Amino acid sequence: MKFTIRKKLFVSFGLSVLIPILLLCTILGIQLTKSARNSYINSANRELGHIDKSIDIFIGNAITMVTTLADNEIIKKADESLTSFIDLSGTIKASSLEVNALQADITKFFTLIGKHDKNYSEVYLGTKWGGFATSGTSDMPGGYDPRARPWYKKAILTPDSASLSSAYQFTNDAAGITIMHPVSNNTGTMAGVVGIDMELSGLTDFIKKIQLGESGYVVLAQEDGTILANPKYAETNFKPLKKSGISAYAELSDIDQGSLSLSIEGVDCIAVVHTMPGLKWKLIGVIERSEVMATVYGLIRTMLIIGVLVFIAFMGIALFLANSLTKPLNRTIAMLKDIAEGEGDLTMRLTAGT
């Protein structure tokens, strides 16, 4: 294909306009994409920080309560007279128990505490002699020894402070934790451990109601990676992130802070991970990437439309200029060609305006 001067001028004008437009759109597109992602990450971190504070208050109130119980004068009177189930067999009905005045006072007090907060499933005390007092009304199994229970063993490792168990499923399938604190009598000798079984249903319901944008949601997982609340995929609750059945979640289990892009069930998403300083629980904010980039894509489309319109306008100008520049040149070439062939009119003049 032979390129005439006119075509060469036209293509040169076109490239001189097209290349800057493409470079500008590419650079701006990359910058806008980074900006949108960073903006979402910052926004998600702020939201997860607010949730962190809410959970801290929720758990903190229970820690304050169990600490107060451990220092209560009625609880500090606990001794070897509290009912023990260690030497009993079968199932002991709560209604058939005969208790002394001290245990009656402790049980009554625990019942009042249980009514104080609907999230308190049971309040109880296990003594170093094997005695047990509780606000619960369920039957007790014979041979029950509170000293052998994980909550008791963990609590006595920190004599002067409260401790928390890992989350687990209560008999009603609700998520819950135990918050416990050692109890010392008035002589300073440890007499036992007081504990509160607290349902996390209020907390998990709170998590389920949180939305990040239109498609985003928050996943709550405890320190070992067990999912406590996942409003998007409820079937993963109480499963480890690595064994949830969603392969992308396995990537999240190894991250304490930060963000990453991942594909969940074939949908490209952006996840932001925030680990709570005290509990070491993870808050994971997940949102579809298309939602984060929606504004960016709109701006890029607008830039492309403007770029096309500018290109068309400049190409029109380029065509006019190419024609203007090549028309007199073509006429001159034609005259010279005629002269060279011996047929030209040597008296013809070229004017500056042609």
Side-chain angles (χ1 to χ4, degrees), residues 45 52 54 69 81 121 130 139 162 196 206 277 342:
N45 274 321
D52 181 344
S54 298
L69 288 176
S81 68
S121 176
D139 296 339
I196 297 176
F206 167 66

Side-chain angles (χ1 to χ4, degrees), residues 217-262:
Y217 59 97
V218 176
V219 177
L220 175 65
Q222 64 181 11
E223 187 176 4
D224 63 3
T226 300
I227 298 172
L228 302 180
N230 185 349
K232 182 73 171 182
Y233 302 101
E235 66 275 12
T236 65
N237 290 336
F238 285 103
K239 293 181 181 178
L241 286 167
K242 289 185 176 181
K243 299 179 180 179
S244 65
I246 299 176
S247 58
Y249 282 1
E251 300 178 53
L252 299 170
S253 63
D254 299 322
I255 299 177
D256 291 328
Q257 295 285 147
S259 62
L260 75 162
S261 298
L262 67 171

